[in-house]
Amino acid sequence: MSIHLGKVVLLGPPNVGKSALFNKLAGKHAAIVFDMPGVTRDCHETRIQLPDDYPARRQRIRRVEPKLRGPEITLVDMPGALNTSWDAKKAISDTSELSSDSDLDAAIQRQIVKSVSDADLILFVTAGNDAVPEQMFNKARTFGKTMLFLVNKCDLISKNTDLSQIYKLGAEPVFVSAEHGIGISELWELIEASLRQELNAPDEEDDSILIEKNGQEDDFDDENEEGHSAKRQTKKTRSVHSNEKVKISIIGRPNVGKSTLINAMLNREAQVTANVPGTTRDTVEYDFEYKNQGFLISDTAGIRRNAKVDSRLEKISVSHAINSINFSHVCILVIDALELEGTDYKEFVQQDLLLASKAEKEGRCVVIALNKWDLVKNKRSLRLNIEEYIRNNNLKYISVAPISAKRNEGISGLLDAVTIAAKEWNTRLPTARVNKWLRDFVFRNPPPATSIRRSKLKYITQVGTRPLRFVIFGTKIDDVPKNYRQFLENQLRQTFQLDKTPIRISWRQQENPYIKDRRMR
């Protein structure tokens, strides 16, 4: 079992390279890096393993990627600290949605305070070419956490740079460069040493103590679950299961309630929410558990039409959102139901179904979350119209779940639909069973005769999952009409209860063995 040493947060003023350093330590391009202050708005959290060969890498000429083994840490990339009005003792409250820039800044500050309060180690980051924020640094000390003082962009420090401001803070600076990888090995050493000292574990021989401690912290209290079948557990209190985590991407247009839905699922203010389009920029992942099933959920930036995307930053955010679709298992398409009520659903057809079609082309399951359902007056009529649009656009496998993310209503039904879709997405059917079904189906519904000789369907086999892929062999396959193929797929879904997952069926012409024998003669 992996050892978890603690939570490490990146703290500092805007535009000093915290996201670039986060990506360097995490070993992946998880956070958006852009040369503009205030790009990061949400606390981006990921669990990574410390490389055990960082001392040896300093002696190598060729760059070698670290082998990720050994103890783990939780690394958190945070927004730039916009002001010094933190209060480490103030309770985190007022999680209502925000509507102004000042309220948005206040929500960001709340996230910073909460993340730093839960941290085991603070990496206070400044830039070598910027002034040192002395007041902010002193304020960070009031949290009483172990802190390392990092000077990023050290490659920009010249002989004429005044270093007196750096050393007058009374902390030993660690000079690094996230862009060029300078000082990263030394930083890994300091991180591990600081966390082990914090946990009173000076060497790796005492790792068994940490494993026992982490096991106690991760135990699930069954008594607290009685009477709460829909209760969702966050990463800190989840139990360990062998089930694979279901990867979920929350997608949709800007300002439809995606971040609010994330907060409702996690039962905490994990994402900054505001009534301002474009609040979320990064694709942020969270672990949580529901009914003994682990989930890895990603909140993405709002996706608009390509014609309306003009800024380079928004293009990067949309690119990360599309990439999240490609690596997910199930996509939750969030739609503002209140906007659709009383309209002709053109917006739904033109934009939202385009996102659903994009996910379908990638072979992902899609569940539509009709948000703000509590404000809709004619609920039955609206839902029937939306389901009709789905059927008419040949996306019959998409399920619809009405929710109210702000009031935390309908979340359990949404997660149930996601769980069912993910289970169908991984279904493996025995070849003998599907072939018996094909024989019975063809006997009752033979392909229509389009020429003198009728098409014959002889064999079917499943060749893959995620999505489900089938191959049907037969003769005169090209003569099988499109409506018959669609009818066969519908019957396949109905017979094996596969109405929540995309299906791919390939039709292949069976070779005539006698023709090959004639050529040999």
Side-chain angles (χ1 to χ4, degrees), residues 403-461:
I403 65 167
S404 174
K406 189 173 182 180
R407 298 179 60 177
N408 205 349
E409 296 176 353
I411 307 301
S412 297
L414 175 62
L415 291 175
D416 288 338
V418 169
T419 304
I420 294 172
K423 183 178 179 180
E424 292 186 9
W425 197 57
N426 289 277
T427 300
R428 173 71 68 173
L429 298 176
T431 302
R433 188 180 175 191
V434 290
N435 270 287
K436 183 181 183 305
W437 167 83
L438 181 64
R439 288 194 300 269
D440 295 340
F441 173 79
V442 173
F443 179 78
R444 295 191 306 268
N445 307 282
T450 57
S451 61
I452 299 176
R453 295 178 58 190
R454 187 188 298 269
S455 301
K456 294 183 179 180
L457 308 182
K458 296 186 175 182
Y459 186 76
I460 182 174
T461 182

Side-chain angles (χ1 to χ4, degrees), residues 246-503:
V246 177
K247 297 180 180 179
I248 305 174
S249 289
I250 308 294
I251 60 175
R253 288 180 289 149
N255 207 32
V256 294
K258 298 185 297 295
S259 296
T260 307
L261 177 58
I262 290 281
N263 293 341
M265 289 181 173
L266 301 178
N267 284 329
R268 60 187 175 94
E269 190 184 12
Q271 289 286 99
V272 173
T273 57
N275 288 325
V276 180
T279 301
T280 302
R281 289 169 175 167
D282 264 314
T283 298
V284 188
E285 295 181 345
Y286 298 96
D287 279 341
F288 77 104
E289 193 169 278
Y290 171 75
K291 291 184 178 179
N292 295 333
Q293 173 63 57
F295 292 88
L296 182 63
I297 190 165
S298 300
D299 187 19
T300 64
I303 303 176
R304 300 192 296 171
R305 296 194 189 96
N306 292 333
K308 293 186 176 182
V309 178
D310 50 1
S311 69
R312 183 165 172 258
L313 177 58
E314 186 176 359
K315 290 181 180 178
I316 296 175
S317 298
V318 171
S319 176
H320 279 228
I322 297 298
N323 192 57
S324 176
I325 295 176
N326 299 339
F327 287 93
S328 64
H329 299 165
V330 181
C331 294
I332 297 180
L333 175 59
V334 183
I335 297 175
D336 190 341
L338 194 61
E339 289 185 358
L340 297 180
E341 189 176 27
T343 66
D344 56 0
Y345 308 100
K346 288 184 178 179
E347 287 293 325
F348 177 75
V349 173
Q350 293 177 357
Q351 179 62 17
D352 295 313
L353 278 190
L354 286 177
L355 290 177
S357 299
K358 168 65 179 175
E360 192 274 339
K361 289 179 181 178
E362 296 296 331
R364 309 305 170 208
C365 301
V366 179
V367 178
I368 292 180
L370 295 177
N371 196 20
K372 305 179 184 179
W373 193 250
D374 55 311
L375 303 178
V376 175
K377 297 179 180 178
N378 196 346
K379 294 180 173 58
R380 187 174 183 276
S381 175
L382 179 61
R383 182 166 182 172
L384 290 176
N385 287 333
I386 291 175
E387 290 176 347
E388 182 181 357
Y389 269 99
I390 293 173
R391 290 193 299 270
N392 293 340
N393 285 270
N394 200 24
L395 296 172
K396 302 176 182 179
Y397 69 91
I398 296 180
S399 55
V400 178
I403 65 167
S404 174
K406 189 173 182 180
R407 298 179 60 177
N408 205 349
E409 296 176 353
I411 307 301
S412 297
L414 175 62
L415 291 175
D416 288 338
V418 169
T419 304
I420 294 172
K423 183 178 179 180
E424 292 186 9
W425 197 57
N426 289 277
T427 300
R428 173 71 68 173
L429 298 176
T431 302
R433 188 180 175 191
V434 290
N435 270 287
K436 183 181 183 305
W437 167 83
L438 181 64
R439 288 194 300 269
D440 295 340
F441 173 79
V442 173
F443 179 78
R444 295 191 306 268
N445 307 282
T450 57
S451 61
I452 299 176
R453 295 178 58 190
R454 187 188 298 269
S455 301
K456 294 183 179 180
L457 308 182
K458 296 186 175 182
Y459 186 76
I460 182 174
T461 182
Q462 183 178 355
V463 296
T465 58
R466 303 185 170 192
L468 306 188
R469 297 187 299 276
F470 297 89
V471 178
I472 296 178
F473 296 90
T475 60
K476 298 183 68 62
I477 287 294
D478 294 338
D479 293 342
V480 178
K482 183 178 180 180
N483 57 353
Y484 183 84
R485 298 186 182 197
Q486 188 62 53
F487 174 58
L488 183 144
E489 179 183 332
N490 293 339
Q491 292 299 310
L492 178 66
R493 289 181 179 275
Q494 182 178 348
T495 303
F496 297 103
Q497 298 180 354
L498 301 174
D499 55 346
K500 299 293 188 297
T501 178
I503 292 178

